[in-house]
Amino acid sequence: MTGLQVLQPGPLSLLQDGGRFGWQHLGVSPAGPLDLSAAAWANHLLGNHWGSPLLEVALGGLTLRSQVDTWVAVCGADLPISVDGLPRPNWSRFALHAGQQLHLGFARSGQRAYLAVAGGFTAPPQLGSVATQQREGIGGLHGDGRALQTGDLLRCASAALACVASVPWRYIPDYQQLALLRVITGGDALSFNEDQLQSFFAQHWSLSPQSNRMGARLCGTPLLAPALLPARQWSQGVSSGAIQVPGDGQPIILMADRQSMGGYPLLGWLHPLDLGRLAQVPAHHEVGFTAISLSDAQAELRCFYRFFRG
C-alpha cells in the first residue's frame, strides 16, 4: 500500500485515533487527539468512521508528498495550507493527487491542526489503538511512540469524493479570542474555602510554557489547597479534564496523555469539549473559567456524540 511520504515532519506531528481505552488500570493513558472537536470535523468531512487515524500537527511546518489520488481534510489551528504552492482553505476537504505536495505552514493562531485522509491512515495497533503516546513509548506509525520523521510513509488507500466541502462558519472557533472554559465543580471543591473558589473563577490564568500533552499548567494568584482529609491515604483515579491543585497553588488540567492516578486535591473537571479549546491556547496567553452544571455538560456532550458518531 502506498500513501503520503513525509518530507518535513514539523516540530511535533503525531498519529492519533480515538484513543487507547481499557488499559488505565495498568497505568496506560488513553492518548488520542487533544482537540476532540477539530479532529472529529476533519474525519467527518471525509465520511470517515469516528476515531479514524489522522495526524495531530503541532504548530505546523509539515510537508507531505502524495503517492495516491485521494482526498484530505484539515481542521484546527489557523495556518496556511497549500498544494503545489496553491492555497487551500482550512476547515475543508480537498483533492490531493499522486505526485503533489501538501504543505502546512506555521500557525497564526491556535496550536494544533488535524490532517485526515479519506479512509484514515493505516498503522499496526498497539493495545487496540494507533494513538501515539511518547512518554510511554507506545503507538504511532512504528508502534514505539515516535513522532513523524522525514522519510516516513503514512499508508492510506486511494479514494475519490464528489466535491469540496467545508465546516459551516458558525462551528469554526476564533482562537484569537480569550478562551472562556467551562468547569464542572466537584471532587474536593467543597473542601476549598469559598474565597479560593471565587479566586479561581474571577481571575485570568496564564498558560505555562511547561504545558504539554500530559497536562496544562496554569500561572496566576496561587490557590490555597485544602489539606486532604485524613481518610484519604492514597491516590485516586483521575480522568482527562481533572483540575488538580498541587502545593504551589497553580492548577494543572490533565490532558490526553495524563497519568491514570493522582493525589492532589481536585477542584473539578473541565468540560470535555473545552479541553480542545485549551489545547489551542499558546504559552503565556490567558484563559478564563466559568461554571457549568453536570447536566448541561452531559446534554451538550450527548449532542456532540450523536452528531459525530451517529
Side-chain angles (χ1 to χ4, degrees), residues 94-106:
F94 48 88
L96 185 65
H97 298 293
Q100 290 185 320
Q101 288 189 22
L102 170 64
H103 178 67
L104 274 58
F106 286 97

Side-chain angles (χ1 to χ4, degrees), residues 32-285:
L34 289 183
D35 189 338
L36 189 64
S37 180
W41 273 116
N43 272 323
H44 181 76
L45 283 171
L46 298 168
N48 292 345
H49 295 298
W50 168 266
S52 293
L54 44 57
L55 289 185
E56 178 180 273
V57 183
L59 301 179
L62 174 71
T63 303
L64 306 173
R65 178 188 291 121
S66 182
Q67 299 177 353
V68 296
D69 292 335
T70 188
W71 283 68
V72 298
V74 181
C75 296
D78 177 22
L79 42 69
I81 305 166
S82 64
V83 174
D84 285 348
L86 298 177
R88 294 291 185 269
N90 201 348
W91 294 89
S92 299
R93 76 182 186 201
F94 48 88
L96 185 65
H97 298 293
Q100 290 185 320
Q101 288 189 22
L102 170 64
H103 178 67
L104 274 58
F106 286 97
R108 296 172 289 230
S109 65
Q111 295 287 282
R112 293 170 173 88
Y114 292 85
L115 170 64
V117 65
F121 294 111
T122 301
Q126 305 291 319
L127 301 181
S129 170
V130 303
T132 307
Q133 222 289 19
Q134 290 183 293
R135 178 172 52 87
E136 294 169 358
I138 188 173
L141 193 60
H142 303 286
D144 57 4
R146 275 186 288 166
L148 288 191
Q149 300 175 354
T150 300
D152 281 345
L153 180 65
L154 293 158
R155 293 178 175 82
C156 62
S158 60
L161 297 175
C163 60
V164 298
S166 299
V167 175
W169 66 267
R170 62 182 178 276
Y171 297 115
I172 300 176
D174 182 357
Y175 297 131
Q176 294 182 338
Q177 289 186 346
L178 174 73
L180 186 61
L181 310 176
R182 297 163 294 176
V183 171
I184 307 162
T185 55
D188 302 302
L190 293 179
S191 299
F192 285 80
N193 291 333
E194 182 62 28
D195 64 327
Q196 295 301 300
L197 288 177
Q198 291 180 359
S199 175
F200 174 78
F201 287 105
Q203 65 176 297
H204 288 166
W205 296 85
S206 175
L207 187 67
S208 167
Q210 295 180 331
S211 301
N212 53 32
R213 282 184 49 88
M214 185 175 179
R217 295 177 176 269
L218 306 180
C219 300
T221 303
L223 302 179
L224 296 178
L228 292 180
L229 299 176
R232 183 190 295 175
Q233 301 294 328
W234 53 82
S235 295
Q236 59 182 346
V238 291
S239 61
S240 298
I243 305 173
Q244 296 183 320
V245 183
D248 63 2
Q250 306 292 344
I252 301 171
I253 302 177
L254 300 186
M255 307 295 277
D257 287 359
R258 58 176 170 77
Q259 72 277 19
S260 60
M261 301 286 288
Y264 292 131
L266 296 181
L267 190 148
W269 293 266
L270 197 64
H271 190 307
L273 297 182
D274 286 3
L275 279 169
R277 183 64 184 88
L278 176 61
Q280 298 289 2
V281 176
H284 304 296
H285 284 227

